[in-house]
Amino acid sequence: GLRQTAPSNAALLSVTIPVFTTVLSVFLGQDRLRVRSVVGLSVASLGVLLLVGVFANVLTFAAGGGPLFMPGQFDRGALLVSVNSLSYSLYLVLSRPLFRRHGASAILPWLFLWGALMMLPFGIEKLAELLTTVTPRGMLLLLYILAMPTVVAYLANAYALARATPMLVTLY
């Protein structure tokens, strides 16, 4: 999605993670909905619909200018970024009970293992190519990127999820 939309759209749409997380968390009984949350959700949702192009289609349709949904009129990249936000929100809400019961150190190794195995068919060729050309310094940098912003971030997130609601975790 990042290649198919403007960087500004992707940045704006990334803030839908708390919106989706709040809706899912309330729906699954992990959190309560407050008036302040409803106002925030409404404003954010309208912004997402505007960015994805739904309002342009509705206005064109209402004016008799064409069909309601034309695939070419949607910002496909923005739609994919939104789906990514929804997927991450699902992860946060559905994984919370597991992190509370078993802890991050028991869950995350399996999460990373199964995620890597599922992605392997899509990236095995590039991985093999990369491993033949990468320098030792490049390998150290790659390991750093895997460790710090990925593993450490997921560990911190899982630690927080075991102690707070998903809605609160996404706000920080």
Coordinates of all heavy atoms in Angstrom, one line a residue, residues 32-84:
R32 N -14.8 -0.1 27.4 CA -16.1 0.6 27.3 C -16.0 1.8 26.4 O -15.0 2.5 26.4 CB -16.5 1.1 28.7 CG -16.9 -0.1 29.6 CD -17.6 0.4 30.9 NE -17.1 1.8 31.3 CZ -16.7 2.1 32.5 NH1 -16.8 1.3 33.5 NH2 -16.3 3.4 32.7
L33 N -17.1 2.1 25.7 CA -17.1 3.3 24.8 C -17.6 4.5 25.6 O -18.6 4.5 26.3 CB -18.1 3.0 23.7 CG -18.0 3.9 22.5 CD1 -16.6 3.9 21.9 CD2 -18.9 3.4 21.4
R34 N -16.9 5.6 25.4 CA -17.2 6.9 26.1 C -17.6 7.9 25.0 O -17.2 7.8 23.8 CB -16.0 7.4 26.9 CG -15.7 6.4 28.1 CD -14.4 6.8 28.8 NE -14.2 5.9 29.9 CZ -13.7 4.7 29.8 NH1 -13.4 4.2 28.7 NH2 -13.4 4.0 30.9
V35 N -18.2 9.0 25.4 CA -18.6 10.0 24.4 C -17.4 10.6 23.7 O -17.4 10.8 22.5 CB -19.4 11.1 25.2 CG1 -19.7 12.3 24.2 CG2 -20.7 10.6 25.7
R36 N -16.4 10.9 24.4 CA -15.2 11.4 23.9 C -14.6 10.5 22.8 O -14.1 10.9 21.7 CB -14.1 11.7 25.0 CG -12.9 12.4 24.6 CD -12.1 12.8 25.7 NE -11.7 11.6 26.5 CZ -11.0 11.6 27.6 NH1 -10.6 12.7 28.1 NH2 -10.6 10.5 28.2
S37 N -14.7 9.2 23.1 CA -14.2 8.2 22.1 C -15.1 8.2 20.8 O -14.5 8.1 19.7 CB -14.2 6.8 22.7 OG -13.3 6.7 23.8
V38 N -16.4 8.3 21.0 CA -17.3 8.3 19.9 C -17.0 9.5 19.0 O -17.0 9.4 17.7 CB -18.8 8.3 20.3 CG1 -19.7 8.6 19.2 CG2 -19.1 7.0 21.0
V39 N -16.8 10.7 19.5 CA -16.5 11.9 18.8 C -15.2 11.7 18.0 O -15.1 12.0 16.8 CB -16.4 13.2 19.7 CG1 -15.9 14.4 18.9 CG2 -17.8 13.4 20.2
G40 N -14.2 11.2 18.7 CA -12.9 11.0 18.0 C -13.0 9.9 16.9 O -12.4 10.1 15.8
L41 N -13.7 8.8 17.2 CA -13.9 7.8 16.2 C -14.6 8.3 14.9 O -14.3 8.0 13.8 CB -14.7 6.6 16.7 CG -14.0 5.7 17.7 CD1 -15.0 4.8 18.4 CD2 -12.8 5.0 17.1
S42 N -15.6 9.2 15.2 CA -16.4 9.7 14.0 C -15.5 10.6 13.2 O -15.5 10.5 11.9 CB -17.6 10.5 14.6 OG -18.4 9.7 15.3
V43 N -14.8 11.5 13.8 CA -13.9 12.4 13.0 C -12.9 11.6 12.2 O -12.6 11.9 11.0 CB -13.3 13.5 13.9 CG1 -12.2 14.3 13.2 CG2 -14.3 14.4 14.5
A44 N -12.2 10.7 12.9 CA -11.2 9.9 12.2 C -11.8 9.0 11.1 O -11.2 8.9 10.0 CB -10.5 9.0 13.2
S45 N -13.0 8.5 11.3 CA -13.6 7.6 10.3 C -14.0 8.5 9.0 O -13.8 8.0 7.9 CB -14.8 6.9 10.8 OG -14.5 6.1 11.9
L46 N -14.5 9.7 9.3 CA -14.8 10.5 8.1 C -13.5 10.9 7.3 O -13.6 10.9 6.1 CB -15.5 11.8 8.6 CG -16.9 11.6 9.1 CD1 -17.4 12.9 9.7 CD2 -17.8 11.2 8.0
G47 N -12.5 11.1 8.0 CA -11.2 11.4 7.3 C -10.7 10.2 6.5 O -10.2 10.4 5.4
V48 N -10.8 9.0 7.0 CA -10.4 7.8 6.3 C -11.3 7.7 5.0 O -10.8 7.4 3.9 CB -10.5 6.6 7.1 CG1 -10.4 5.3 6.3 CG2 -9.5 6.6 8.2
L49 N -12.6 7.8 5.2 CA -13.5 7.7 4.0 C -13.2 8.8 3.0 O -13.2 8.5 1.8 CB -14.9 7.8 4.4 CG -15.5 6.7 5.3 CD1 -16.9 7.0 5.8 CD2 -15.4 5.4 4.6
L50 N -12.8 9.9 3.4 CA -12.5 11.0 2.5 C -11.2 10.7 1.7 O -11.1 10.8 0.5 CB -12.3 12.3 3.2 CG -11.9 13.6 2.4 CD1 -13.1 13.9 1.5 CD2 -11.6 14.7 3.3
L51 N -10.2 10.2 2.4 CA -8.9 9.8 1.8 C -9.0 8.6 0.9 O -8.4 8.6 -0.2 CB -7.8 9.5 2.9 CG -7.2 10.7 3.5 CD1 -6.3 10.2 4.7 CD2 -6.4 11.5 2.5
V52 N -9.8 7.6 1.2 CA -9.9 6.5 0.4 C -10.7 6.8 -0.9 O -10.6 6.1 -1.9 CB -10.6 5.3 1.2 CG1 -10.9 4.1 0.3 CG2 -9.6 4.9 2.3
G53 N -11.5 7.8 -0.9 CA -12.2 8.3 -2.1 C -13.7 7.9 -2.1 O -14.3 8.1 -3.1
V54 N -14.2 7.5 -1.0 CA -15.6 7.1 -0.9 C -16.5 8.3 -1.2 O -17.5 8.2 -1.9 CB -16.0 6.4 0.4 CG1 -17.5 6.3 0.6 CG2 -15.3 5.1 0.5
F55 N -16.2 9.5 -0.6 CA -17.1 10.6 -0.7 C -17.1 11.1 -2.2 O -18.2 11.5 -2.6 CB -16.6 11.8 0.2 CG -16.9 11.5 1.6 CD1 -16.0 11.8 2.6 CD2 -18.1 10.9 2.0 CE1 -16.3 11.6 4.0 CE2 -18.4 10.7 3.4 CZ -17.5 11.0 4.3
A56 N -16.0 11.1 -2.9 CA -16.0 11.5 -4.3 C -16.9 10.6 -5.1 O -17.7 11.1 -5.9 CB -14.6 11.5 -4.8
N57 N -16.9 9.3 -4.8 CA -17.8 8.4 -5.6 C -19.3 8.7 -5.2 O -20.1 8.6 -6.1 CB -17.5 7.0 -5.2 CG -16.2 6.5 -5.9 OD1 -15.7 7.2 -6.8 ND2 -15.7 5.4 -5.6
V58 N -19.6 8.9 -4.0 CA -21.0 9.2 -3.5 C -21.5 10.4 -4.2 O -22.6 10.5 -4.7 CB -21.1 9.2 -2.0 CG1 -22.4 9.7 -1.6 CG2 -20.8 7.8 -1.4
L59 N -20.7 11.5 -4.2 CA -21.1 12.8 -4.8 C -21.3 12.6 -6.3 O -22.3 13.1 -6.9 CB -20.1 13.9 -4.5 CG -20.0 14.3 -3.0 CD1 -18.9 15.3 -2.9 CD2 -21.3 14.9 -2.6
T60 N -20.4 11.9 -7.0 CA -20.6 11.7 -8.4 C -21.8 10.9 -8.7 O -22.6 11.2 -9.6 CB -19.3 10.9 -9.0 OG1 -18.2 11.7 -8.7 CG2 -19.4 10.7 -10.5
F61 N -22.1 9.9 -7.9 CA -23.3 9.0 -8.1 C -24.5 9.8 -7.8 O -25.5 9.8 -8.6 CB -23.2 7.8 -7.1 CG -24.4 7.0 -7.1 CD1 -24.6 6.1 -8.2 CD2 -25.4 7.0 -6.1 CE1 -25.7 5.3 -8.2 CE2 -26.5 6.2 -6.1 CZ -26.7 5.3 -7.2
A62 N -24.5 10.7 -6.8 CA -25.7 11.5 -6.4 C -26.0 12.5 -7.5 O -27.2 12.8 -7.8 CB -25.5 12.2 -5.1
A63 N -25.0 13.0 -8.2 CA -25.2 13.9 -9.3 C -25.6 13.3 -10.6 O -25.7 13.9 -11.6 CB -24.0 14.8 -9.4
G64 N -25.7 11.9 -10.6 CA -26.1 11.2 -11.8 C -24.9 11.0 -12.7 O -25.1 10.8 -13.9
G65 N -23.7 11.1 -12.2 CA -22.5 11.1 -13.1 C -21.8 9.7 -13.2 O -20.8 9.6 -13.8
G66 N -22.4 8.7 -12.7 CA -21.8 7.4 -12.9 C -22.1 6.4 -11.8 O -22.9 6.8 -10.9
P67 N -21.5 5.2 -11.9 CA -21.8 4.2 -10.9 C -21.2 4.6 -9.5 O -20.3 5.4 -9.5 CB -21.1 3.0 -11.4 CG -20.1 3.5 -12.4 CD -20.6 4.8 -12.9
L68 N -21.8 4.0 -8.5 CA -21.3 4.4 -7.1 C -19.9 3.9 -6.9 O -19.1 4.7 -6.3 CB -22.3 3.7 -6.1 CG -22.0 4.0 -4.6 CD1 -22.0 5.5 -4.4 CD2 -23.0 3.4 -3.7
F69 N -19.5 2.7 -7.3 CA -18.2 2.2 -7.1 C -17.5 1.9 -8.4 O -17.9 1.0 -9.1 CB -18.2 1.0 -6.2 CG -18.7 1.2 -4.8 CD1 -20.0 0.8 -4.5 CD2 -18.0 1.9 -3.9 CE1 -20.5 1.1 -3.2 CE2 -18.5 2.2 -2.6 CZ -19.7 1.8 -2.3
M70 N -16.4 2.7 -8.7 CA -15.6 2.4 -9.8 C -14.2 2.1 -9.3 O -13.6 3.0 -8.6 CB -15.5 3.6 -10.7 CG -16.9 3.9 -11.4 SD -16.9 4.0 -13.1 CE -15.3 4.1 -13.8
P71 N -13.6 0.9 -9.5 CA -12.3 0.6 -8.9 C -11.2 1.6 -9.2 O -10.4 1.9 -8.4 CB -12.0 -0.8 -9.6 CG -13.3 -1.3 -10.0 CD -14.2 -0.1 -10.3
G72 N -11.2 2.2 -10.4 CA -10.2 3.2 -10.7 C -10.2 4.5 -9.9 O -9.3 5.3 -9.8
Q73 N -11.4 4.8 -9.2 CA -11.5 6.0 -8.5 C -11.0 5.9 -7.0 O -10.9 6.9 -6.4 CB -13.0 6.4 -8.5 CG -13.4 6.9 -9.8 CD -14.9 7.3 -9.8 OE1 -15.6 7.0 -8.8 NE2 -15.3 8.0 -10.8
F74 N -10.8 4.7 -6.6 CA -10.3 4.5 -5.2 C -8.8 4.6 -5.2 O -8.1 4.2 -6.1 CB -10.7 3.1 -4.7 CG -12.1 3.1 -4.2 CD1 -13.1 2.4 -5.0 CD2 -12.5 3.7 -3.1 CE1 -14.4 2.4 -4.6 CE2 -13.8 3.6 -2.6 CZ -14.8 2.9 -3.4
D75 N -8.3 5.1 -4.1 CA -6.8 5.1 -3.8 C -6.5 3.8 -3.2 O -6.7 3.5 -2.0 CB -6.5 6.3 -2.8 CG -5.0 6.4 -2.6 OD1 -4.3 5.4 -2.9 OD2 -4.6 7.4 -2.0
R76 N -6.1 2.9 -4.1 CA -5.9 1.5 -3.7 C -4.8 1.4 -2.6 O -4.9 0.6 -1.6 CB -5.4 0.6 -4.9 CG -5.3 -0.8 -4.5 CD -5.0 -1.6 -5.8 NE -4.8 -3.0 -5.3 CZ -4.0 -3.9 -5.9 NH1 -3.4 -3.6 -6.9 NH2 -3.9 -5.1 -5.4
G77 N -3.8 2.2 -2.7 CA -2.8 2.2 -1.6 C -3.3 2.6 -0.3 O -3.0 2.0 0.8
A78 N -4.2 3.6 -0.3 CA -4.8 4.1 1.0 C -5.7 3.0 1.6 O -5.7 2.7 2.8 CB -5.6 5.3 0.8
L79 N -6.4 2.3 0.7 CA -7.2 1.1 1.1 C -6.4 0.0 1.7 O -6.7 -0.5 2.8 CB -8.0 0.6 -0.1 CG -9.1 -0.4 0.3 CD1 -10.1 0.1 1.2 CD2 -9.8 -0.9 -1.0
L80 N -5.2 -0.3 1.1 CA -4.3 -1.3 1.7 C -3.7 -0.9 3.0 O -3.6 -1.7 3.9 CB -3.2 -1.6 0.6 CG -3.7 -2.4 -0.6 CD1 -2.6 -2.4 -1.6 CD2 -4.2 -3.7 -0.3
V81 N -3.4 0.4 3.1 CA -2.9 0.9 4.4 C -4.0 0.8 5.5 O -3.7 0.4 6.6 CB -2.3 2.3 4.3 CG1 -2.0 2.9 5.7 CG2 -1.1 2.4 3.4
S82 N -5.2 1.0 5.1 CA -6.3 0.9 6.1 C -6.5 -0.6 6.5 O -6.8 -0.8 7.6 CB -7.6 1.4 5.4 OG -7.5 2.8 5.2
V83 N -6.4 -1.5 5.5 CA -6.5 -2.9 5.8 C -5.4 -3.3 6.8 O -5.6 -4.1 7.7 CB -6.6 -3.7 4.6 CG1 -6.4 -5.2 4.8 CG2 -7.8 -3.5 3.8
N84 N -4.2 -2.8 6.5 CA -3.1 -3.1 7.4 C -3.4 -2.6 8.8 O -3.1 -3.3 9.8 CB -1.8 -2.4 6.9 CG -0.6 -2.6 7.9 OD1 -0.2 -3.7 8.1 ND2 -0.2 -1.5 8.4

